[in-house]
């Protein structure tokens, strides 16, 4: 038998605290090899971060390597439970020793197990593996109990999803300010109905969203993000729904809108040619998407997709005409400078007067929150006593948890800093002062982005456009009279407000 050896060291975070660090095990292993005149030719270092499938793969690689290389006569472990904590792996070690004539060394206890080990040594080896297995099971059970307790306290007992980060000092979950804006943006894009998952994926990539390794967010990851109720304040653990203590990133209303859009049959068509106004409008006759296409290799026209069948009033409109048709819609939410400045001052005074009303509203919401929370607690007590059936329990649990999450968001909104609210309104009013001029000068794709910012949807039947303005642009548009006539050179009828 040669003196060539393999070194296998493994550790978890708790064992590192107890002096079993990878470096400590490796140093002891090398000292052991030197004393026993062994030459370590290859080593494996397995940390807690490689737990599970990766650890299993590393262990199997070591076993296969030892079998394939006949010159390897020795394998060095720290102690028995650094080698294995299950019977399956124990049999692999037995096979190496008995069938492949490998010597198994334990550097810390200075023991050797090989084909010549007697029955007493084999018995002690089995006992040590059994003890390691029990220790592993105890750790697993305690870990599961700890995670369940954390869930009961309202904290997700696992890695925080995109947009959040685990606070290792407080053991809580905080909002990741650098990445949470992308989560909000993802929900807004999908909820708008103008973006498919693939289109939203590409848009978010353009805006700077990356994985921790700097790659584009996978489509299935984006799908799971939109479906995850954690973002509005609720999570599930081991089949039970909990109201989280973490701060929600999106409202329940936005979450529902995004998920409804995700399920709808009329999903946005992939805008492969990147037409500026595709997926922005729906047909005013049948409700299908309005998309662009190329004519004669150079001219862009927009029309209904006719998914539900062809119909009358199906005009093909050139992109230049579409651009003009949207002009008055933008103009309608463009305020004169003096009016916008006056509104700023008026709203500042309104916020001051409403502050007391907001405070009273927050107290009422808190009272309702406490009441619903008590109802949920009573439900759990009834369930633990076997008084209620499973279907009733699950339905009520979902109802109360959703209500708590909704109230939590309303309480947070009621507690909004007036200065921040005023700042947000002022920024909107600043935009209204120049949005018409900005639209007129912008390129087609930038025009489309302006339209998405001021409107949640547009209906187009080939002759007229009907906008659905977002707040607060809807209020601004409603204060303007209905207009019919020219914007630039077109004779187009626009309905809005």
């Amino acid at each position: 038998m040669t003196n060539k050896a393999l070194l296998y060291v493994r550790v978890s975070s708790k064992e590192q605290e107890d002096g079993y660090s990878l470096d400590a095990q490796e140093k002891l292993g090398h000292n052991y090899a030197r004393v026993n005149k062994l030459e370590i030719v290859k080593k494996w270092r397995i940390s807690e971060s490689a737990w599970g499938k990766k650890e299993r793969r590393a262990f199997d690689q070591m076993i296969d390597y030892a079998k394939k290389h006949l010159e390897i006569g020795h394998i060095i472990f720290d102690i028995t439970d650094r080698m294995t904590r299950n019977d399956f792996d124990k049999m692999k070690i037995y096979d190496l020793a008995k069938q492949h004539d490998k010597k198994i060394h334990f550097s810390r206890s200075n023991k050797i197990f090989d084909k010549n080990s007697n029955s007493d040594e084999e018995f002690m080896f089995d006992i040590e593996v059994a003890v390691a297995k029990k220790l592993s099971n105890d750790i697993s059970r305690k870990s599961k109990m700890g995670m369940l307790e954390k869930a009961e306290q309202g904290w997700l007992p696992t890695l925080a999803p995109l947009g959040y980060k685990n606070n290792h000092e407080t053991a809580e979950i905080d909002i990741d300010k650098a990445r949470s804006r992308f989560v909000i943006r993802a929900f807004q894009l999908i909820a708008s109905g103008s973006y498919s998952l693939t289109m939203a994926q590409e848009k978010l990539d353009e805006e700077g969203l990356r994985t921790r390794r700097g790659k584009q967010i996978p489509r299935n990851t984006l799908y799971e993000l939109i479906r995850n109720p954690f973002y509005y304040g609720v999570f599930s653990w081991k089949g039970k729904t909990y109201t989280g203590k973490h701060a929600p990133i999106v409202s329940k209303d936005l979450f529902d809108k995004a998920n409804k859009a995700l399920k709808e049959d009329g999903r946005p068509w992939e805008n492969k040619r990147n037409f500026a106004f595709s997926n922005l409008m729906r047909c005013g006759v049948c409700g299908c998407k309005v998309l662009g296409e190329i004519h004669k290799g150079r001219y862009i026209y927009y029309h209904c997709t006719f998914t539900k069948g062809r119909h009358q009033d199906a005009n093909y409109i050139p992109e230049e005409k579409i651009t003009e048709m949207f002009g008055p819609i933008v103009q309608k939410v463009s305020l004169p400078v003096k009016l916008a400045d006056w509104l700023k001052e008026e709203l500042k005074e309104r916020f001051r007067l409403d502050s007391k009303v907001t405070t009273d509203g927050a107290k009422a919401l808190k009272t309702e929150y406490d009441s619903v929370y008590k109802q949920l607690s009573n439900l759990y007590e009834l369930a633990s006593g076997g008084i209620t059936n499973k279907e009733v329990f699950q339905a009520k649990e979902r109802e109360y948890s959703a209500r708590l999450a909704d109230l939590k968001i309303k309480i947070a909104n009621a507690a909004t800093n007036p200065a921040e609210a005023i700042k947000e309104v002022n920024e909107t009013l600043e935009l209204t002062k120049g949005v018409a001029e900005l639209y007129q000068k912008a390129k087609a794709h930038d025009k489309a982005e302006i339209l998405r910012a001021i409107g949640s949807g547009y209906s187009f039947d080939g002759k007229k456009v009907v906008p659905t303005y977002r707040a607060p642009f809807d209020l601004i548009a409603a204060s303007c009279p209905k207009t019919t006539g020219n914007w630039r050179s077109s004779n187009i009828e626009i309905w809005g407000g």
Side-chain angles (χ1 to χ4, degrees):
M1 181 180 289
T2 70
N3 69 337
K4 295 186 182 300
L6 305 178
L7 176 63
Y8 187 92
V9 294
R10 180 174 68 84
V11 75
S12 69
S13 58
K14 179 64 174 68
E15 286 150 353
Q16 291 201 45
E17 297 172 6
D18 296 336
Y20 287 84
S21 69
L22 290 175
D23 291 339
Q25 290 184 48
E26 186 175 346
K27 181 179 180 181
L28 188 60
H30 279 285
N31 289 339
Y32 178 89
R34 178 175 49 79
V35 170
N36 290 276
K37 295 181 173 51
L38 300 177
E39 178 190 358
I40 296 174
V41 296
K42 190 173 179 63
K43 65 184 178 182
W44 281 263
R45 288 169 57 98
I46 313 301
S47 66
E48 184 182 39
S49 61
W51 199 260
K53 291 183 179 179
K54 290 185 179 180
E55 184 207 9
R56 170 72 54 202
R57 188 159 55 245
F59 184 84
D60 288 342
Q61 286 174 353
M62 182 270 294
I63 295 292
D64 291 340
Y65 189 92
K67 288 180 179 180
K68 291 177 181 177
H69 292 77
L70 301 180
E71 74 276 11
I72 301 297
H74 310 265
I75 304 174
I76 302 172
F77 296 96
D78 186 69
I79 54 178
T80 307
D81 75 344
R82 298 301 85 225
M83 175 190 70
T84 180
R85 287 180 174 178
N86 65 77
D87 294 328
F88 186 66
D89 287 346
K90 181 187 73 173
M91 296 309 299
K92 293 181 180 180
I93 296 297
Y94 259 96
D95 181 64
L96 281 180
K98 302 296 185 180
Q99 303 299 324
H100 297 273
D101 197 21
K102 310 294 184 184
K103 284 184 178 290
I104 311 301
H105 300 258
F106 300 100
S107 58
R108 193 174 292 267
S109 59
N110 202 31
K111 292 181 179 180
I112 298 176
F113 180 79
D114 60 14
K115 68 178 183 179
N116 298 318
S117 296
N118 59 40
S119 59
D120 288 339
E121 290 171 331
E122 288 188 11
F123 177 71
M124 288 306 300
F125 181 74
D126 288 341
I127 291 296
E128 289 175 358
V129 172
V131 171
K133 181 180 178 181
K134 183 180 185 306
L135 176 62
S136 177
N137 291 340
D138 288 344
I139 292 173
S140 176
R141 180 176 57 82
K142 290 178 181 178
S143 176
K144 289 177 180 177
M145 290 177 61
M147 289 190 286
L148 180 60
E149 174 61 25
K150 191 170 184 180
E152 294 284 353
Q153 293 175 1
W155 296 106
L156 182 68
T158 186
L159 188 66
L162 176 68
Y164 289 93
K165 57 184 178 181
N166 295 91
N167 188 323
H168 299 293
E169 294 182 0
T170 64
E172 297 177 356
I173 294 178
D174 300 333
I175 288 179
D176 184 345
K177 294 181 179 179
R179 292 162 69 81
S180 60
R181 63 186 180 90
F182 292 114
V183 173
I184 297 172
R185 181 67 168 146
F187 276 97
Q188 290 174 338
L189 291 174
I190 299 298
S192 71
S194 298
Y195 287 82
S196 66
L197 278 173
T198 301
M199 294 162 63
Q201 175 194 28
E202 293 173 354
K203 184 67 175 176
L204 291 167
D205 185 63
E206 290 175 7
E207 295 180 0
L209 177 60
R210 300 285 186 279
T211 65
R212 298 189 185 280
R213 295 185 178 182
K215 298 181 179 180
Q216 186 183 62
I217 292 291
R219 186 177 181 276
N220 65 316
T221 299
L222 184 59
Y223 175 80
E224 293 300 329
L225 183 152
I226 298 298
R227 300 265 298 163
N228 192 350
F230 187 84
Y231 290 107
Y232 75 83
V234 172
F235 67 92
S236 296
W237 184 256
K238 300 300 181 183
K240 186 176 178 180
T241 303
Y242 296 92
T243 300
K245 288 186 177 179
H246 61 283
I249 288 181
V250 301
S251 68
K252 180 67 163 57
D253 181 57
L254 180 58
F255 177 87
D256 289 340
K257 286 180 179 178
N259 277 269
K260 181 182 178 182
L262 206 59
K263 295 177 182 177
E264 284 183 348
D265 294 332
R267 293 173 184 170
W269 288 41
E270 302 301 333
N271 194 4
K272 294 180 180 179
R273 284 186 175 270
N274 201 23
F275 297 117
F277 300 102
S278 282
N279 293 308
L280 180 65
M281 303 168 281
R282 284 190 178 273
C283 175
V285 177
C286 67
C288 294
K289 288 288 183 181
V290 173
L291 301 178
E293 67 176 53
I294 294 286
H295 282 230
K296 297 182 180 180
R298 55 185 294 192
Y299 300 108
I300 301 175
Y301 282 78
Y302 290 85
H303 63 89
C304 174
T305 58
F306 306 117
T307 304
K308 300 177 182 179
R310 297 191 68 87
H311 51 73
Q312 294 182 346
D313 299 320
N315 298 339
Y316 281 64
I317 306 296
E319 186 169 85
E320 294 79 6
K321 182 73 74 173
I322 287 287
T323 300
E324 294 181 3
M325 292 178 76
F326 278 113
I329 293 174
V330 178
Q331 182 68 49
K332 203 166 186 180
V333 295
S334 185
L335 297 177
V337 174
K338 289 185 178 180
L339 178 57
D341 290 340
W342 176 81
L343 282 174
K344 285 183 185 180
E345 294 301 319
E346 285 295 309
L347 288 171
K348 188 183 298 183
E349 178 65 14
R350 175 66 63 85
F351 273 116
R352 187 186 67 80
L353 295 174
D354 287 349
S355 60
K356 184 179 183 304
V357 176
T358 301
T359 301
D360 293 341
K363 289 179 179 178
L365 289 170
K366 183 64 171 63
T367 300
E368 185 180 355
Y369 182 93
D370 293 339
S371 175
V372 177
Y373 188 85
K374 186 176 180 180
Q375 288 177 294
L376 183 59
S377 298
N378 291 338
L379 179 66
Y380 287 142
E381 289 182 8
L382 290 172
S384 63
I387 300 175
T388 183
N389 64 52
K390 185 177 180 181
E391 290 75 14
V392 173
F393 169 77
Q394 291 178 338
K396 283 295 182 182
E397 183 189 39
R398 287 193 295 268
E399 177 188 340
Y400 292 150
S401 296
R403 183 56 182 156
L404 285 174
D406 186 50
L407 286 168
K408 191 172 183 179
I409 294 171
K410 289 181 177 179
I411 290 171
N413 291 338
T416 300
N417 187 340
E420 294 180 359
I422 292 172
K423 180 182 177 182
E424 184 177 344
V425 171
N426 284 346
E427 289 175 351
T428 301
L429 289 173
E430 281 296 320
L431 176 61
T432 64
K433 289 198 292 187
V435 67
E437 183 179 359
L438 184 64
Y439 176 85
Q440 187 174 353
K441 294 179 179 179
K443 294 181 179 179
H445 284 86
D446 294 328
K447 281 180 166 66
E449 287 301 309
I450 291 173
L451 292 167
R452 288 189 174 95
I454 67 172
S456 59
Y458 300 89
S459 177
F460 167 68
D461 63 5
K463 296 179 180 179
K464 62 179 181 293
V465 175
V466 179
T468 300
Y469 290 106
R470 299 183 188 276
F473 298 104
D474 55 341
L475 298 177
I476 297 172
S479 67
C480 299
K482 180 186 292 188
T483 60
T484 302
N486 294 333
W487 184 81
R488 293 176 64 185
S489 61
S490 299
N491 185 21
I492 301 162
E493 185 177 15
I494 304 296
W495 301 81

